[in-house]
RNA sequence: GGGCGAUUAGCUCAGUUGGUUAGAGUGCUUGCUUGACAUGCAAGAGGUCACUGGUUCGAUUCCAGUAUCGCCCACCA
């Protein structure tokens, strides 16, 4: 026998690609809008074309695929709409960086060429990303892939802009917006992230006009003083009352600016005097409006200072700050500098500090849009899972602010607004009009700005189905069933989709929102490209297969919490997939040639205890899995399936139906049950691990009367087909306890695993006795028993190890093997544990208040337990005493 | 500053109306190429359920407070 040992492990490479190709060819994933089956639809959260998918996407899409596949099996017409998001800022930033490397810029290239180039890049990336989804096994309807920048979706965007404009809910205005000097565009409030930074508070003296007294002002951004057009104090502030209405001289620029009284100013903070910079601070903007102060913009788009900054013109904002402080110091305007921690806004794409910046932008009025979306959660029409996210959602919705939707970018949906060069008329239209409707001038130009990326994403649940046309798709698949996403985009995306759904369809876009955790690495740090701790799902698939990737992610993701994932996380899933495969191999190997079973009906005849037990456990598992999935608790569902398959089915059931001698056949009744259970297991697991289960299903066909082409369309196992039998499960537990006790004794007494031993069982409970008598053959091999003696009058054999369990005492003769001291120690340890328990329960039962107040069944249980422990203590004592004789 | 959540074994987490001896996976220790699987089998060690009070006959579970951590929101210069 020199033959090299071949690996018998399951090899996903051999099956996954071929199966996926077959599924596609047969059109299994194509939703039929004209069919009669009820619909179950999901729209994918479109991944940004800039990001190749990471494990977070793998988790997100695995969850969606599980839900889609489960419902496709369960008789629904499943439609999973895939696609991608053009990701305005993110994409433009990437392409611009490429251009810089090539020594050019977008301005050199020109708007049209830049757009073409970006589009080509985006489409290329999109294809790669969708390819990743296919590798993961996602059962999307690929014939209907959508992209937010596609013409059809762009039309929906225009339509929505025009409708809202006509309703008066879109307006253009000069406001303070968040400006990213690096991306050179405005951002909505929700695209700004706040970071705590170490900063300073500079105390600057503003001298009163015509006097030597001065007012002291504290600021964290001294350079903005170049745009100061006033000082403000609280009207109730006695210290400064006399100064209100007077004038101070702005240091350096020497501008005269007024002192105003405004309730916004906090008496307690700083010096109680605030410098007012209407063009560079949202509060100051409002103070300025109330007191009619001038707005002076000191910044260029790129964050350098403009002509209004005098000698600081052309400097970067931070360089200017440094120089300005130096100058203030030199001229004696600076009183002191303090350390001060502050929170600064940063761009969610490039993470540079954003500047409040006065500019003309387009906004959407949100209050009326928000109303039905708030109501939906309050009346339970829209549900979050886990539920606590609804609080976050409501909090945001109830404090909603107008949405800045214009972006100073070139990549995106251009704003459908045109201006007349002659009369400045503003025209909102789908296409550029031939002439100005007001002055009939023909020199028209389109608004330079594009729309916020989210202005197309918020229409995704219906624009992808053909809206504004009333298509069959739209009728059949809108509203969708559930939205699956991480918590980061509840405001940016989820809330806005709900608002759009009500406004444009009159119906919310989905009833359930399933929020899952964000993937973290082994140290709890968020996985991201920039940190370099990300893992590419393809790497895992190459190594362990897509099934292993999927089930590992679901097993590792606690419902509602962030999973911590390392590379070896995936070994658990891989092992599980292999285990299932090996169990199948065993059962199939033992099938008599040509034998076929009918697995469509539960086996009802020729069942022994273990058979009924596994069927009862299966029924319980089916119930659990169905319940968990309906509650969006996929982690719990996957754990239930994992444990049933591995522990109940493989470790106990299969081991128990193995005949005593390997060459003997398995009892036919049990073999039927094994096939039946296996068939249910693969169907329950199919949504989680579609490839290996489909593969097993085909192997199983060999011994089934009713063969199945695929598991894709079910049937999905439903509760109720089998009998759940708690009493029987309890009986089975008794047998397990004997096996466990023997195994434990043997291991602790160092009995060589290959050596069989005799077993003496002294029965102290009739039920137990009957069970053990009847099923002795089924635990003989598990416990490695040679001669077996069972009875109520069994005497303890000479030198032996013992164990006491409920209803029986067991003895294993250990002539020549036993170490008396060791055995003594073992028994004493157990005795101590039991005595502790006995003391506790005795104390409890002696408590009159307990007896008076506790429910009867609880007391009964405790009494029975006390008796049982007393019994075991007594026997342990006897055995210990006997041992001392040796 | 406001809100939300968490704290259970070395690590990641279950524990669903308060009632046996608080569980799983993983890691660790020990022993096994056993007949489907060494991607495996068996056994074992490991927990004051963050802390302090309260309610209760009884609290990991309910309530309050404290501490620590995380997330979200926020215009205090």
């Amino acid at each position: 026998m020199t033959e090299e040992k071949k690996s018998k492990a399951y090899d996903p490479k051999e099956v996954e690609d071929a199966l996926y190709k077959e599924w596609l060819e047969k059109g299994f994933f194509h939703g039929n809008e004209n069919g009669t089956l009820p619909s179950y639809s999901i729209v994918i959260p479109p991944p940004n074309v800039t990001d190749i998918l990471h494990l977070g996407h793998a988790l997100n899409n695995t969850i969606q695929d599980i839900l889609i596949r489960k419902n496709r099996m369960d008789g629904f017409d499943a439609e999973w709409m895939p696609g991608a998001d053009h990701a305005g800022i993110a994409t433009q930033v990437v392409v611009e960086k490429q251009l810089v490397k090539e020594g050019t810029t977008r301005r050199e290239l020109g708007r049209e060429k830049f757009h073409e180039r970006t589009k080509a890049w985006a489409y290329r990336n999109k294809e790669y990303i969708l390819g990743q989804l296919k590798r993961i096994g996602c059962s999307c309807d690929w014939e209907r892939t959508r992209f937010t920048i596609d013409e059809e979706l762009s039309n929906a965007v225009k339509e929505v802009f025009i409708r809202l404009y006509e309703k008066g809910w879109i307006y253009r205005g000069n406001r303070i917006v968040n400006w990213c000097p690096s991306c050179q565009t405005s951002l909505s409030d929700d695209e700004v992230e706040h970071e705590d930074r170490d900063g300073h508070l500079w105390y600057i003296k503003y001298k009163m006009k015509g006097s030597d007294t001065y007012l002291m002002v504290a600021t964290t951004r001294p350079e903005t003083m170049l745009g100061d057009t006033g000082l403000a104090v609280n009207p109730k502030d006695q210290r400064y009352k006399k100064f209100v209405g007077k004038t101070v001289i702005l240091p350096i620029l020497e501008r005269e600016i007024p002192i105003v009284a405004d309730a916004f100013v906090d008496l307690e903070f700083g010096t109680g005097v605030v410098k007012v910079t209407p063009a560079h601070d949202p509060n100051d903007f409002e103070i300025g409006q109330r007191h009619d102060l001038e707005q002076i913009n000191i910044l260029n788009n790129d964050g350098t200072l403009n002509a209004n900054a005098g000698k600081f013109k052309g400097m970067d904002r931070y360089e200017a700050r440094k120089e300005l402080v130096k100058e203030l110091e030199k001229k004696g305007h600076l009183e002191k500098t303090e350390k001060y921690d502050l929170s600064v806004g940063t761009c969610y794409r490039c993470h540079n500090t954003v500047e409040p910046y006065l500019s003309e932008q387009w906004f959407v009025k949100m209050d009326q849009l928000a109303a039905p979306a708030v109501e939906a959660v309050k009346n339970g029409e829209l549900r979050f899972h886990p539920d606590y996210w609804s609080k976050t959602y409501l909090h945001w919705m109830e404090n909603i602010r107008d949405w800045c939707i214009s972006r100073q970018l070139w990549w995106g949906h251009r704003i459908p607004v045109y201006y007349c060069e002659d009369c400045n008329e503003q025209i909102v239209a789908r296409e550029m009009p031939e002439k100005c409707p007001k002055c009939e001038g023909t020199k028209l130009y389109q608004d330079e700005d594009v729309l916020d990326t989210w202005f197309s994403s918020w229409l995704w649940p219906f624009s992808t189905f053909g809206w504004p046309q009333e298509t069959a798709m739209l009728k059949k698949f809108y509203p969708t069933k559930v939205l699956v996403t991480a918590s980061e985009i509840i405001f940016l995306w989820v809330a806005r989709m709900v608002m759009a759904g009500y406004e444009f369809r009159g119906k919310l876009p989905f009833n359930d929102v399933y929020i899952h955790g964000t993937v973290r690495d082994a140290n709890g740090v968020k996985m991201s490209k920039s940190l370099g701790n990300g893992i590419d799902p393809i790497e895992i698939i190459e190594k362990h297969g897509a099934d292993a990737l999927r089930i590992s992610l679901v097993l590792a993701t606690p419902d509602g919490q962030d999973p911590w994932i390392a590379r070896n996380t995936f070994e658990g899933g891989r092992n599980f997939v292999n285990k299932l495969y090996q169990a199948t191999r065993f059962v199939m190997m033992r099938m008599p040639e040509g034998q076929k079973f009918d697995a469509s009906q539960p086996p009802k005849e020729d069942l022994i205890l273990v058979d009924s037990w596994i069927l009862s456990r299966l029924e319980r598992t089916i119930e659990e899995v169905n319940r968990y999935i309906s509650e969006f608790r996929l982690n719990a569902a996957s754990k239930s399936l994992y444990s049933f398959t591995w522990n109940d089915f493989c470790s106990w059931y299969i081991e128990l139906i193995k005949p005593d001698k390997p060459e003997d056949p398995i009892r036919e009744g049990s073999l039927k049950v094994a096939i039946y259970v296996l068939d249910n297991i693969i169907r329950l697991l199919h949504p989680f691990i579609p490839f290996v289960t489909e593969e097993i299903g085909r192997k199983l066909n060999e011994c089934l009367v009713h063969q199945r082409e695929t598991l894709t369309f079910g049937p999905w196992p439903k509760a109720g087909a089998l009998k759940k039998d708690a009493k029987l499960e309890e009986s089975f537990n008794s047998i397990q306890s004997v096996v466990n006790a023997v195994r434990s004794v043997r291991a602790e007494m160092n009995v060589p695993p290959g050596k069989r031993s005799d077993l003496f069982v002294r029965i102290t409970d009739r039920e137990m006795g009957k069970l053990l008598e009847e099923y002795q053959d089924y635990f003989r091999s598990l416990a490695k028993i040679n001669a077996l003696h069972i009875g109520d009058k069994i005497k303890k054999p000479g030198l032996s190890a013992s164990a006491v369990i409920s209803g029986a005492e067991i003895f294993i003769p250990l002539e020549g093997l036993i170490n008396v001291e060791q055995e003594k120690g073992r028994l004493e340890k157990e005795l101590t544990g039991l005595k502790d328990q006995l003391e506790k329960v005795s104390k409890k039962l002696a408590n009159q208040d307990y007896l008076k107040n506790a429910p009867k069944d609880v007391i009964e249980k405790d009494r029975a337990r006390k008796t049982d422990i007393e019994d075991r203590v007594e026997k342990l004592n006897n055995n210990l005493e006997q041992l001392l004789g040796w």
Side-chain angles (χ1 to χ4, degrees), chain A residues 70 73-74 618-619 621-623 625-627 629 641 676-687 708 711 714-722:
Chain A
K70 184 263 171 185
M73 289 176 77
D74 206 1
L618 174 62
E619 173 67 16
T621 304
I622 292 172
E623 247 180 48
V625 169
N626 274 293
R627 193 179 76 239
I629 292 180
L641 283 166
Y676 180 81
V677 173
L678 194 55
D679 178 58
N680 274 271
I681 286 176
I682 60 168
R683 282 184 287 131
L684 287 165
L685 279 170
H686 185 64
R708 255 187 240 114
L711 300 184
W716 174 255
K718 288 251 192 355
L722 299 162

Side-chain angles (χ1 to χ4, degrees), chain A residues 679-733:
Chain A
D679 178 58
N680 274 271
I681 286 176
I682 60 168
R683 282 184 287 131
L684 287 165
L685 279 170
H686 185 64
F688 297 83
I689 44 176
F691 295 107
V692 70
T693 47
E694 182 85 320
E695 176 72 6
I696 290 174
R698 289 180 182 188
K699 286 194 193 299
L700 223 49
N701 271 339
E702 289 169 26
C703 59
L704 294 181
V705 175
H706 306 291
Q707 308 204 336
R708 255 187 240 114
E709 183 194 4
T710 178
L711 300 184
T712 307
F713 302 106
W716 174 255
K718 288 251 192 355
L722 299 162
K723 209 178 122 203
K724 224 168 33 182
D725 190 336
K727 190 153 178 264
L728 185 140
E729 287 182 38
E730 210 176 294
S731 299
F732 188 78
N733 288 344

Side-chain angles (χ1 to χ4, degrees), chain A residues 333-516:
Chain A
H333 295 298
L334 188 69
E335 172 75 11
K336 58 176 174 176
T337 308
E338 280 176 3
K339 285 221 183 277
Y340 185 71
D341 296 337
L342 72 164
S343 156
V344 301
T346 63
C347 171
Y348 81 133
R349 281 298 161 201
C350 71
H351 299 286
N352 283 299
T353 303
V354 301
E355 292 294 329
Y357 188 70
L358 185 68
S359 61
E360 192 155 56
Q361 305 286 346
W362 288 93
F363 296 86
V364 180
K365 279 170 73 174
M366 298 305 281
D367 43 357
Q368 278 153 294
L369 282 168
V374 167
E375 186 52 27
V377 167
K378 287 192 170 163
N379 67 21
E381 218 184 323
L382 178 65
R383 297 172 292 270
F384 282 84
H385 309 275
D387 176 56
Y388 53 75
W389 288 111
S390 47
K391 287 181 195 163
T392 307
Y393 169 95
L394 281 176
H395 182 259
W396 185 77
M397 275 294 201
E398 286 168 348
N399 296 287
I400 199 159
R401 291 181 290 168
D402 286 357
W403 175 15
C404 173
I405 51 169
S406 45
R407 296 289 179 277
Q408 289 63 51
L409 302 171
W410 285 358
W411 174 239
H413 302 279
R414 194 117 175 226
I415 291 180
V417 175
Y418 303 86
Y419 304 96
C420 173
E421 260 184 46
D422 296 330
C423 69
N424 280 330
E425 175 72 354
Q426 174 179 299
I427 309 134
V428 175
R430 284 171 185 80
E431 306 299 334
M432 185 177 309
E434 304 224 328
K435 55 185 182 193
C436 173
K438 193 175 164 197
C439 73
E440 305 214 326
T442 52
K443 286 188 213 147
L444 298 167
Y445 64 96
Q446 186 169 7
D447 196 299
E448 290 294 321
D449 292 351
V450 300
L451 289 159
D452 182 5
T453 294
W454 301 102
F455 197 84
S456 57
S457 329
W458 77 322
L459 314 176
W460 188 251
F462 48 87
S463 63
T464 50
F465 292 138
W467 188 90
Q469 259 77 52
E470 281 298 323
T471 60
M473 281 290 285
L474 191 59
K475 279 185 197 135
K476 171 99 183 184
F477 294 118
Y478 187 92
T480 65
K481 287 286 188 236
V482 54
L483 184 86
V484 181
T485 187
S487 62
E488 285 96 330
I489 50 177
I490 290 179
F491 308 136
L492 286 170
W493 192 46
V494 180
R496 287 174 182 158
M497 278 191 288
V498 176
M499 293 187 271
Y502 277 112
E503 177 62 22
F504 302 108
R505 294 299 302 157
K507 260 190 226 164
L508 83 183
F510 31 73
N511 288 298
D512 294 285
V513 180
Y514 177 3
I515 303 289
H516 62 254

Side-chain angles (χ1 to χ4, degrees), chain A residues 147-165:
Chain A
F147 191 23
T148 47
I149 205 83
D150 282 347
E151 200 185 336
E152 199 180 32
L153 276 67
S154 301
N155 285 337
V157 166
K158 272 188 212 167
E159 179 73 23
V160 160
F161 187 97
I162 290 164
R163 285 197 196 182
L164 289 178
Y165 180 83

